Amino acid sequence: MSQTNSNTLSVRAVLSEKASAYVAFTKFRLASLVVFSASVSYFFAADAINWGKFTALVIGGFLVTGASNGFNQIIEKDLDKLMSRTKNRPLPTGKMTINEGLWLSLIMGAVGISLLWFVLNPLSGLLGALALILYAGIYTPLKRKTSFAVFVGAFPGAIPPMLGYIAETGQFGLIPGILFAIQFVWQFPHFWAIAWKADDDYRRAGFHLLPSPGGKDKSSAMQAFVYAMFLIPISLLPFYFGVTGVVSAIIAIILGAYYAYYAFKLYKTVDDKAATKLMFASFVYLPVVQVALWLDKI
């Protein structure tokens, strides 16, 4: 192999490794799920799709989410080294420098908020900025101090469906509030199932994210069950206010019962296997219900 070809392959390998590090730094899969939630809510609000605005929502939402994830990893860079689930992230492994991550996060945040503000509307830009500040500036440092951090983190976590709706309408209202409420309540059993499985890892880094001081006990499981049950009437509000029809209401009831069942199983068994099943139930619930609401509306 010639020296030129060898150098070319070496450059490609470096670029490929750097691209992989950037994807991991933004938590691409998580960001994609956030954008999906915002996208479905945009479709829910729009009578006719403006693809230019939709593209701005997708790119802007992804950049703001990526920036939030990036700032989170910068703040927790030393803690990530202590946990099995995070020790291979780009900053702990040295695949990215702190300055590199900081500049990338600043650029993503600035460009993302600008797209939401100027291409969509100022309220969308404000929601994007609020989500970033709450997640990186308040939720992230609060995680080592109190389990109340989960409640705080649920606010930026529930902004995407509200943002998607307001990206089209440009104003607050009952419907974006309901979409926010559904995702807000959904997050508690979802996140506590994850925190249950990762509790040992979290404790090594000083995080105490389960709601009970006892950690993986019946009190934590009961709170997950209560929130899952409360989600059922919340998810029926679009039907109650005449925004959607009976089909999505039935789907919401069935999936709400499915979600609550696995939360109850966690309460009965108090084991990691049940927490895993609750976590996967949460992955099924949210996208299916959101899509059902949108399709039932049209």
Side-chain angles (χ1 to χ4, degrees):
M1 182 183 293
S2 69
Q3 184 65 37
T4 300
N5 288 339
S6 178
N7 290 340
T8 300
L9 289 175
S10 178
V11 169
R12 287 178 178 174
V14 170
L15 290 176
S16 176
E17 183 178 20
K18 186 61 67 176
S20 296
Y22 282 14
V23 168
F25 185 70
T26 61
K27 298 184 184 176
F28 184 84
R29 284 188 295 178
L30 175 61
S32 298
L33 292 173
V34 170
V35 169
F36 174 83
S37 181
S39 298
V40 173
S41 295
Y42 175 82
F43 292 144
F44 187 88
D47 293 324
I49 305 301
N50 181 319
W51 292 105
K53 290 172 65 175
F54 175 70
T55 301
L57 173 65
V58 170
I59 296 175
F62 180 84
L63 290 175
V64 171
T65 305
S68 300
N69 292 331
F71 286 124
N72 169 269
Q73 290 176 69
I74 292 168
I75 294 168
E76 296 182 346
K77 62 186 185 302
D78 294 326
L79 302 176
D80 281 346
K81 296 176 183 178
L82 305 176
M83 297 185 288
S84 300
R85 61 190 294 273
T86 56
K87 66 183 181 182
N88 293 319
R89 284 176 174 173
L91 294 181
T93 57
K95 293 177 181 178
M96 286 178 63
T97 66
I98 299 298
N99 283 339
E100 191 178 1
L102 181 60
W103 276 108
L104 179 60
S105 298
L106 287 170
I107 291 169
M108 286 193 298
V111 174
I113 291 169
S114 296
L115 281 172
L116 297 176
W117 187 296
F118 294 108
V119 180
L120 298 175
N121 52 68
L123 192 51
S124 294
L126 285 173
L127 284 172
L130 180 63
L132 194 159
I133 292 168
L134 285 174
Y135 185 83
I138 301 179
Y139 164 71
T140 295
L142 202 60
K143 286 162 64 179
R144 297 194 79 203
K145 299 181 183 300
T146 173
S147 60
F148 186 73
V150 174
F151 179 79
V152 175
F155 283 91
I159 282 177
M162 175 183 282
L163 172 60
Y165 196 95
I166 291 174
E168 168 62 17
T169 64
Q171 58 187 5
F172 284 116
L174 175 66
I175 303 307
I178 291 173
L179 296 175
F180 174 92
I182 291 171
Q183 188 146 321
F184 183 82
V185 175
W186 165 84
Q187 287 177 94
F188 291 93
H190 163 76
F191 185 80
W192 285 331
I194 295 172
W196 189 293
K197 287 178 55 61
D199 187 57
D200 293 339
D201 227 10
Y202 279 141
R203 287 179 181 272
R204 276 194 287 272
F207 298 143
H208 303 281
L209 297 176
L210 288 169
S212 166
K216 296 159 70 170
D217 60 14
K218 280 192 175 291
S219 178
S220 289
M222 173 54 74
Q223 291 182 64
F225 174 64
V226 169
Y227 274 92
M229 287 296 293
F230 187 55
L231 183 59
I232 296 174
I234 293 292
S235 67
L236 294 177
L237 289 177
F239 172 73
Y240 177 80
F241 286 105
V243 180
T244 56
V246 69
V247 173
S248 61
I250 292 172
I251 291 173
I253 291 171
I254 293 172
L255 284 176
Y258 163 77
Y259 196 21
Y261 168 77
Y262 283 108
F264 182 71
K265 289 283 286 185
L266 178 61
Y267 172 74
K268 291 289 289 183
T269 61
V270 197
D271 64 20
D272 288 4
K273 185 177 180 180
T276 300
K277 291 181 178 180
L278 176 59
M279 179 183 70
F280 282 112
S282 74
F283 291 146
V284 172
Y285 176 91
L286 190 66
V288 174
V289 168
Q290 288 178 331
V291 170
L293 291 172
W294 163 45
L295 293 178
D296 203 21
K297 178 176 178 288
I298 62 175

